[in-house]
Amino acid sequence: MRLCICDDHPEDVDRIRTLTAELIWDYPQWPIQVQSFSSPFDLLEYLETGRGFDLYLLDILMPHMSGLDLAERIRQRGEKAEILFLTSSREFAIDAFRVRASGYLLKPLEKKAFTETLLFCIQALSSEKNASLLIKIRGGLRKICLQDLVLIESFNHSRICTLKDGSKLETATTLSSLMEQLGGDDRFFSPHRAYIVNLEYVSGLYPSELLLINGEKLPVSRKLYGDLKAAFMRFVF
């Protein structure tokens, strides 16, 4: 999990880092990487050049830009991250709804509240990352973890699902039905009427084809290239 802190008070940043280290010690199954920013503008500049974070802890009252406005800018990027606000007052609770915040951490930060709130967010994120797809195969059903699904190809009356370990599963379920099931997950895109691809496994994109990390090339529909490029850029950055 990638945790971002944006707070102009160094003592609060230090406290969050300490509490996070203690959480990792108590719950080693949830490794967390922490990166901090003392200014909303520094964070936004970073987001323009790199990928986002899974969890944001944002101070509400900061010079020149509030944590609420910063959260709105983060949501405009299309991120599904969890957002928590740091504040000494509950007066901004209603405003937090418009950026789909998960809640507040009141200052001064207390270990029990911090740990419970972060574990709630981490478990929610983990459930989303470990989402699965249930498909019909010959002789029964098979559950596929979406993070393991690289590609779905349509051949005649069958769909072939390629997994990251190179194994393949065959299903008669239509490509449109599979895409409908995957529609809520921004990792998946159909660049051509015969394919659905997981953008996590795309290493290159060109007007007429895309390149997977295993070296395989897939055709790209000319009319879909613009949408594919936008989806890929949102996903990568």
Side-chain angles (χ1 to χ4, degrees), residues 181-205:
Q181 295 179 62
L182 296 168
D185 193 314
D186 58 10
R187 287 174 290 185
F188 294 92
F189 193 92
S190 179
H192 184 278
R193 63 184 181 181
Y195 300 93
I196 299 173
V197 64
N198 186 339
L199 297 177
E200 285 189 295
Y201 296 95
V202 173
S203 63
L205 180 60

Side-chain angles (χ1 to χ4, degrees), residues 14-23 109-111 114:
D14 290 342
R15 177 63 172 159
I16 293 172
R17 286 186 173 276
T18 298
L19 292 173
T20 303
E22 293 174 358
L23 186 150
L109 299 175
E110 298 180 355
K111 180 176 180 177
F114 180 89

Side-chain angles (χ1 to χ4, degrees), residues 15-209:
R15 177 63 172 159
I16 293 172
R17 286 186 173 276
T18 298
L19 292 173
T20 303
E22 293 174 358
L23 186 150
I24 295 171
W25 178 264
D26 293 335
Y27 300 89
Q29 70 271 32
W30 303 120
I32 302 172
Q33 296 178 343
V34 181
Q35 192 162 346
S36 60
F37 301 85
S38 59
S39 159
F41 302 104
D42 291 341
L43 171 55
L44 291 173
E45 184 177 357
Y46 173 85
L47 293 177
E48 289 298 320
T49 59
R51 63 192 179 100
F53 295 87
D54 299 302
L55 178 56
Y56 291 86
L57 272 67
L58 308 178
D59 186 16
I60 286 187
L61 299 176
M62 292 184 286
H64 309 299
M65 181 184 292
S66 72
L68 291 164
D69 291 335
L70 174 59
E72 202 164 80
R73 295 281 293 273
I74 291 170
R75 288 299 187 215
Q76 288 172 0
R77 288 169 41 85
E79 294 192 22
K80 297 180 179 179
E82 296 286 320
I83 295 177
L84 294 172
F85 288 116
L86 307 175
T87 179
S88 56
S89 171
R90 296 182 184 273
E91 65 179 288
F92 301 99
I94 295 178
D95 293 322
F97 282 111
R98 63 183 166 92
V99 292
R100 305 188 303 281
S102 298
Y104 279 72
L105 286 171
L106 293 175
K107 296 181 178 182
L109 299 175
E110 298 180 355
K111 180 176 180 177
K112 184 175 185 295
F114 180 89
T115 301
E116 289 178 351
T117 304
L118 255 68
L119 284 177
F120 173 81
C121 293
I122 289 170
Q123 289 165 355
L125 288 164
S126 179
S127 296
E128 182 174 322
K129 287 178 178 291
N130 294 323
S132 60
L133 175 69
L134 191 65
I135 63 169
K136 295 179 181 180
I137 60 173
R138 185 175 300 174
L141 299 171
R142 173 72 181 271
K143 184 171 76 170
I144 303 174
C145 186
L146 295 189
Q147 66 182 12
D148 295 334
L149 178 58
V150 177
L151 174 68
I152 304 175
E153 303 170 84
S154 181
F155 293 108
N156 297 322
H157 300 293
S158 295
R159 261 50 60 193
I160 306 300
C161 302
T162 301
L163 306 184
K164 70 176 183 180
D165 63 2
S167 62
K168 297 180 183 292
L169 297 171
E170 183 176 343
T171 179
T173 305
T174 65
L175 204 67
S176 59
S177 178
L178 291 170
M179 190 64 212
E180 184 177 348
Q181 295 179 62
L182 296 168
D185 193 314
D186 58 10
R187 287 174 290 185
F188 294 92
F189 193 92
S190 179
H192 184 278
R193 63 184 181 181
Y195 300 93
I196 299 173
V197 64
N198 186 339
L199 297 177
E200 285 189 295
Y201 296 95
V202 173
S203 63
L205 180 60
Y206 307 93
S208 60
E209 65 182 17

